[in-house]
Amino acid sequence: DSGVTQTPKHLITATGQRVTLRCSPRSGDLSVYWYQQSLDQGLQFLIQYYNGEERAKGNILERFSAQQFPDLHSELNLSSLELGDSALYFCASSVEGGPLWGYTFGSGTRLTVV
Amino acid sequence: KNQVEQSPQSLIILEGKNCTLQCNYTVSPFSNLRWYKQDTGRGPVSLTIMTFSENTKSNGRYTATLDADTKQSSLHITASQLSDSASYICVVSYTDKLIFGTGTRLQVFP
C-alpha cells in the first residue's frame, strides 16, 4: 500500500455521462497530481494542486476539472465523456509544491466509457 | 525541447538472464532522474532516484546508472525473475516539473 488511495478502482459508464474520481494523498503530503494513461501509452500529466490551490496544468481537456479540498483530498471530474476518455487515471502525491523527492502514485482508477 | 526517450520499446528475456534498459534525456536544468516499475494496470512504484552527482544507485537486483554529461541513464536488472515483467519508466525532473518517458515493456519468460 503506497498510502495514496484512489476510488473507485473501476468505473464503467456511457458516453455523455459525468464521473468523479477521488484521491486521498499520503498522510502529510500537500500536493496532488493527476495523470491519464491510455492503453499502451505513457503517463500524461493533467493537473496539480498544492494545499488547495491549482499549481500547474498539463494536457487537461476543458471537459475535465479538478479540485483539492481543505482535508487535502482531491477529485477529478470528467464530463461529456467520450470513448477516447477510457484510460487509467492515476493520482500521485508529494510533500512539497514540486515533485523533487517523495512522489508516490496511487493504484489508479480504470475508467471504461461504452 | 525537454524530452525523455527510452529504448528498447519492448524486450523479451528468459528467466535468470540479465538485461539493461536505456534512457536518454534532453531535460534542462536537471534536478533528478527516477526509474519506476509499473505492473500492468497498477500504479508506478519507485525503484531508484538519482541526483546530478550520483553515478550509480542500487535497489536489490536493480542497478541504475547516470551519466549527467551525456544525459544518459540505464537500468540493469540482474538474474531476472518472472515478477520483473512490467513496464519500466524513466522520469526526469527539472525545477518543479516531471518529464515521463514512454517506458520499456519487459517480459520475462520461464
Side-chain angles (χ1 to χ4, degrees), chain A residues 60-113:
Chain A
I60 187 167
L61 300 173
E62 287 191 8
R63 300 183 286 108
F64 296 0
S65 65
Q67 56 183 326
Q68 187 178 28
F69 295 87
D71 67 352
L72 300 177
H73 90 271
S74 178
E75 293 181 354
L76 178 67
N77 301 296
L78 315 176
S79 61
S80 303
L81 285 167
E82 303 174 358
L83 296 178
D85 297 327
S86 296
L88 275 165
Y89 290 84
F90 289 104
C91 162
S93 73
S94 69
V95 172
E96 315 93 353
L100 294 183
W101 292 109
Y103 194 84
T104 307
F105 283 90
S107 56
T109 292
R110 180 179 294 279
L111 173 66
T112 303
V113 183

Side-chain angles (χ1 to χ4, degrees), chain A residues 33 35 37 40-45 48 55-56 88 90 97-108 110, chain B residues 31-32 34 36 38 40-46 49-51 54 89 93-98 100-102 105:
Chain A
Y33 310 77
Y35 291 86
Q37 187 176 38
D40 293 333
Q41 299 294 312
L43 287 153
Q44 298 293 322
F45 170 65
Q48 177 205 352
R55 174 63 68 96
L88 275 165
F90 289 104
L100 294 183
W101 292 109
Y103 194 84
T104 307
F105 283 90
S107 56
R110 180 179 294 279
Chain B
S31 292
N32 58 55
R34 313 154 193 246
Y36 283 90
Q38 185 179 21
T40 301
R42 308 295 296 273
V45 175
S46 180
I49 179 169
M50 290 183 291
T51 62
E54 295 176 293
I89 306 170
S93 71
Y94 71 107
T95 59
D96 60 350
K97 294 180 173 52
L98 294 180
F100 286 80
T102 53
R105 184 181 295 276

Side-chain angles (χ1 to χ4, degrees), chain B residues 72-94:
Chain B
Q72 296 180 325
S73 176
S74 65
L75 180 69
H76 186 74
I77 304 175
T78 304
S80 61
Q81 299 176 358
L82 299 179
S83 60
D84 292 331
S85 294
S87 287
Y88 292 83
I89 306 170
C90 174
V91 184
V92 179
S93 71
Y94 71 107

